[in-house]
């Protein structure tokens, strides 16, 4: 389904789970599409609303990639559906966008779940030395950031299943689903969506600090995740006004269906004290 946003840009979205359930917006990983979602067994009692971020699937690219811009898109979509209060869950590359929703849509949210989050390296001070110099160059040298991520993202246009296939073959992420349809759909416009994501999360400023996220936030990470999700979780939580951390000992990057069910339910405001049960 498509929504024409103010200004004429098209936002493509989908709906899964229980139509009468508690509404939760799910923000897919990087890369992905509106077809990306947790297993059906995790969606009991949840009305899951998904969307293609700019440049993915059937959603038009944005003039400038930004976390807060996507949060505005979420707000417009939910208003069009007549939903005033809802939860937000962002997975991996979608987690920073979930935090942006926590800033832009604070009065409308029942909870924000940031799943497998890599935190803002500038704010956390997690990038140093040569890597810090490189990130400075990508941010401040005109055109350098877009040129770099455009080259780095070319694989997605050529073979959108490449990275996903390699992750499945490695077997390090026990709950990762094949999801070929979601990845192929994400690459409908070649690598535009992936480029937009990398610009918004890694090159451009996030546009807000963690202390500006006023509502309740759950940070989930799998102990076996090889990225920064586990070490970043307490650093992010310390800077958020109302946050809790859950580390799943038997998971990698992707939550199990049980973890997804608990996390999505938490984001609705239900079972506020039962996340670990």
């Amino acid at each position: 389904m498509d929504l024409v946003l103010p200004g004429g840009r098209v936002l493509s979205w989908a709906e899964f789970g229980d139509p009468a359930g508690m509404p939760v917006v799910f923000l897919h990983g990087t890369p992905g599409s509106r077809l990306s979602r947790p297993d059906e067994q995790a969606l009991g009692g949840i009305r899951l609303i998904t969307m293609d971020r700019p440049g993915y699937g059937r959603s038009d690219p944005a003039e400038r990639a930004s976390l807060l811009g996507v949060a505005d898109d979420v707000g417009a979509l939910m208003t069009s559906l007549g939903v005033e209060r809802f939860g937000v869950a962002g997975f991996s590359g979608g987690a920073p966008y979930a935090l942006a929703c926590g800033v832009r849509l604070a009065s409308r949210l029942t909870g924000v779940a940031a799943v497998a989050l890599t935190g803002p390296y500038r704010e956390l001070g997690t990038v140093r030395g040569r890597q810090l110099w490189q990130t400075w160059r990508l941010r401040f040298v005109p055109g350098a950031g877009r040129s770099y991520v455009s080259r780095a993202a070319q694989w997605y246009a050529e073979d959108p299943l490449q990275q996903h296939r390699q992750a499945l073959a490695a077997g390090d992420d026990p709950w990762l689903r094949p999801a070929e349809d979601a990845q192929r759909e994400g690459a409908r416009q070649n690598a535009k969506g992936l480029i937009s994501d990398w610009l918004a999360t890694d090159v451009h400023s996030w546009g807000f600090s963690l202390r500006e996220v006023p509502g309740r936030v759950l940070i989930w990470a799998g102990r076996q995740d090889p990225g920064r999700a586990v070490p970043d979780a307490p650093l992010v939580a310390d800077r958020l006004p109302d946050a809790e951390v859950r580390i799943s000992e038997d998971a990698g990057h992707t939550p199990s269906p049980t973890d997804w069910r608990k996390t999505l339910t938490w984001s609705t405001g239900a079972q506020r004290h039962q996340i670990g049960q």
Side-chain angles (χ1 to χ4, degrees):
M1 293 170 278
D2 294 337
L3 170 69
V4 179
L5 297 165
R9 187 161 49 85
V10 171
L11 173 70
S12 190
W13 63 280
E15 191 168 331
F16 303 93
D18 182 356
M22 298 292 290
V24 177
V25 175
F26 178 75
L27 297 165
H28 62 75
T30 300
S33 72
R34 69 190 182 283
L35 303 182
S36 307
R37 61 194 186 278
D39 289 357
E40 288 297 324
Q41 59 186 299
L43 303 184
I46 298 294
R47 178 188 179 190
L48 195 76
I49 297 159
T50 65
M51 53 180 268
D52 293 327
R53 288 196 293 276
Y56 285 113
R58 296 202 306 261
S59 286
D60 291 337
E63 184 174 348
R64 177 179 170 82
S66 75
L67 302 184
L68 293 172
V70 169
D72 290 338
D73 291 350
V74 170
L77 172 60
M78 298 307 279
T79 296
S80 77
L81 296 177
V83 179
E84 179 58 30
R85 295 276 288 168
F86 54 94
V88 172
F91 172 60
S92 190
Y97 294 95
L99 293 177
C101 289
V103 175
R104 198 71 105 191
L105 306 172
S107 64
R108 301 180 64 179
L109 298 186
T110 52
V112 172
V115 177
L117 168 73
T118 297
Y121 63 85
R122 295 184 188 93
E123 186 172 351
L124 300 182
T126 51
V127 172
R128 299 180 179 85
R130 181 175 178 80
Q131 191 177 9
L132 180 61
W133 176 85
Q134 183 182 32
T135 60
W136 182 93
R137 178 178 176 276
L138 294 179
R139 184 180 180 188
F140 293 109
V141 175
R146 177 170 288 277
S147 176
Y148 177 83
V149 299
S150 296
R151 292 194 304 273
Q154 188 58 36
W155 67 267
Y156 191 54
E158 296 170 353
D159 179 6
L161 298 181
Q162 174 185 310
Q163 187 180 78
H164 199 68
R165 190 167 51 240
Q166 291 171 349
L168 284 168
D172 298 329
D173 197 354
W175 303 110
L176 181 66
R177 300 191 309 162
E180 289 94 346
D181 57 341
Q183 294 301 327
R184 288 195 180 97
E185 179 62 17
R188 179 186 286 263
Q189 301 178 66
N190 296 319
K192 289 181 180 178
L194 181 55
I195 292 167
S196 180
D197 267 352
W198 282 348
L199 287 173
T201 59
D202 297 334
V203 176
H204 299 162
S205 167
W206 279 24
F208 61 93
S209 70
L210 295 171
R211 298 192 186 281
E212 295 178 74
V213 185
R216 52 195 295 269
V217 178
L218 173 67
I219 303 170
W220 181 97
R223 180 69 69 187
Q224 310 308 316
D225 192 326
R228 288 213 52 89
V230 172
D232 278 4
L235 300 178
V236 171
D238 283 347
R239 289 165 171 78
L240 292 168
D242 184 6
E244 57 184 282
V245 173
R246 182 169 189 240
I247 306 296
S248 180
E249 297 297 330
D250 62 349
H253 191 61
T254 305
S256 70
T258 298
D259 280 326
W260 268 129
R261 178 177 54 79
K262 292 179 179 180
T263 300
L264 294 173
T265 300
W266 186 97
S267 74
T268 69
Q271 299 181 350
R272 295 188 66 162
H273 304 294
Q274 299 181 27
I275 187 64
Q277 297 180 8

